[in-house]
Amino acid sequence: MFTEDLSLLRGPPGRDGRDGRDGRDCDTDELEKLVAIMFNESKKSGESSSVAGTTTGKSPLRSYDTDDLLQSFNESIGFALLRKMQVTLAKLEDIEEELDSHQSTSLKDDDDVSDSQPITTVIGGSTYVRWGRTTCGNNSQLLYEGFVTGSHYTHEGGASNYQCLPLKPEYSTYSGHGSVVYGAEYRTGSSVFPNYMENHNVPCARCFAPTRSATLMIPAKRTCPPSWTKEYEGYLMAGLHSHKRAYAFECMDAEPEAIAGRSGNEGGALFYFQLSVCSSTGHCPPYINYAELTCVVCTK
């Protein structure tokens, strides 16, 4: 409201909690100057001055005592502060409306995106069989424990792959007519595995790697490629070359377990170590003639 410098209002601190700006320590000349400023501002704005009360040219200070002038002056200051507060509140209301409008627009945009591009949960992971063990490694979850079966090694028909059957089957309608599968046995000889496994039946575990979507079995290796996770290592096994039955290659765990109570020579599906022959492969060295091939199962 005032265009003049109000520095002469600054009295001693502590009177009214606002750094002493009540003007009570101004002398008469200072008060007269302040009132003259107020009077002139009132004339410019067309308002009737509550301080002067006259327009005769007489000094406004002569019509009032000091207390009256201070009261009128404080009322004018209060009006100015009130006006500034009103302006500030109006600006804050404008900012609030703008923020509300922006938030509403953002929510609407989000709804549009949600409608046009629904969010779906993608479930990854990879499964594999750990042949010869009833548990999975620390990197995977056990889906079920089981035992290995396959077609009899003397049969010419049937399937060529081994199967990991769960311990607790769930049957539907059955009649007893069809092909048959048999329990699988180790045919390992003596010393490659830590324990003697000859003729023992073979367990298995179906495993799930929840954070990896690919499974890779690498023959003749014990380590995985960079950035792949090693699930287990072992030996490459399948059927015997002289038998009528051909079996798929599988990676048998290097420290296999056996099914308790099943150690007799009952035939069925059989596991043999697989040996590389240098005369036909032509990669010796580094391969060793008739050495049991290793293997590793990796996930990523």
Side-chain angles (χ1 to χ4, degrees):
M1 182 172 179
F2 296 110
T3 59
E4 301 286 344
D5 183 13
L6 298 181
S7 61
L8 47 87
L9 292 180
R10 298 190 177 123
R15 278 247 168 100
D16 58 354
R18 290 176 297 162
D19 202 19
R21 299 184 182 183
D22 58 358
R24 292 187 183 275
D25 290 301
C26 297
D27 56 23
T28 303
D29 293 337
E30 291 174 337
L31 287 175
E32 185 175 359
K33 182 178 180 181
L34 288 173
V35 174
I37 293 172
M38 294 165 56
F39 178 74
N40 291 333
E41 291 293 335
S42 299
K43 288 180 63 178
K44 291 178 181 178
S45 61
E47 300 175 355
S48 59
S49 174
S50 61
V51 178
T54 179
T55 58
T56 59
K58 183 180 178 181
S59 174
L61 185 60
R62 306 296 182 244
S63 302
Y64 295 91
D65 60 19
T66 302
D67 290 337
D68 290 337
L69 289 173
L70 287 173
Q71 180 179 356
S72 298
F73 177 74
N74 287 335
E75 289 176 356
S76 299
I77 292 295
F79 177 79
L81 293 175
L82 178 61
R83 180 57 181 166
K84 289 182 179 180
M85 291 175 63
Q86 290 174 340
V87 172
T88 302
L89 288 175
K91 290 181 179 179
L92 290 175
E93 290 176 355
D94 292 340
I95 293 173
E96 185 177 3
E97 291 178 358
E98 184 176 354
L99 290 174
D100 291 341
S101 176
H102 178 71
Q103 184 177 12
S104 300
T105 304
S106 299
L107 291 175
K108 183 177 180 181
D109 292 341
D110 291 342
D111 293 340
D112 293 341
V113 172
S114 178
D115 293 339
S116 60
Q117 299 178 358
I119 298 175
T120 58
T121 301
V122 179
I123 300 177
S126 180
T127 62
Y128 63 91
V129 174
R130 189 176 187 183
W131 304 101
R133 294 297 295 265
T134 58
T135 59
C136 301
N138 294 330
N139 299 312
S140 299
Q141 301 173 5
L142 177 67
L143 297 179
Y144 67 85
E145 176 187 345
F147 61 97
V148 183
T149 64
S151 298
H152 199 282
Y153 75 99
T154 62
H155 293 175
E156 296 183 3
S160 62
N161 59 321
Y162 303 97
Q163 286 294 310
C164 182
L165 297 187
L167 297 179
K168 296 180 180 180
E170 297 174 354
Y171 283 101
S172 185
T173 302
Y174 57 92
S175 64
H177 178 73
S179 187
V180 292
V181 293
Y182 296 82
E185 297 179 356
Y186 297 105
R187 286 291 192 269
T188 57
S190 57
S191 61
V192 173
F193 286 142
N195 299 312
Y196 184 76
M197 289 293 172
E198 182 73 14
N199 295 328
H200 284 76
N201 280 37
V202 184
C204 57
R206 179 75 67 174
C207 304
F208 175 57
T211 61
R212 298 172 292 283
S213 59
T215 300
L216 174 66
M217 189 275 281
I218 308 176
K221 295 290 289 185
R222 299 178 60 190
T223 57
C224 295
S227 78
W228 286 71
T229 298
K230 179 179 178 179
E231 298 295 340
Y232 73 94
E233 64 172 282
Y235 290 91
L236 191 67
M237 303 192 79
L240 187 64
H241 62 277
S242 60
H243 290 170
K244 295 179 179 180
R245 161 67 46 220
Y247 294 101
F249 294 110
E250 299 294 354
C251 187
M252 185 67 63
D253 195 276
E255 297 183 359
E257 300 171 325
I259 296 177
R262 307 298 300 178
S263 60
N265 184 0
E266 299 171 345
L270 306 178
F271 280 97
Y272 287 85
F273 291 118
Q274 302 301 298
L275 317 174
S276 61
V277 179
C278 289
S279 60
S280 62
T281 61
H283 290 273
C284 301
Y287 283 85
I288 301 173
N289 195 39
Y290 284 92
E292 290 84 354
L293 291 171
T294 57
C295 58
V296 64
V297 174
C298 310
T299 56
K300 180 179 174 63

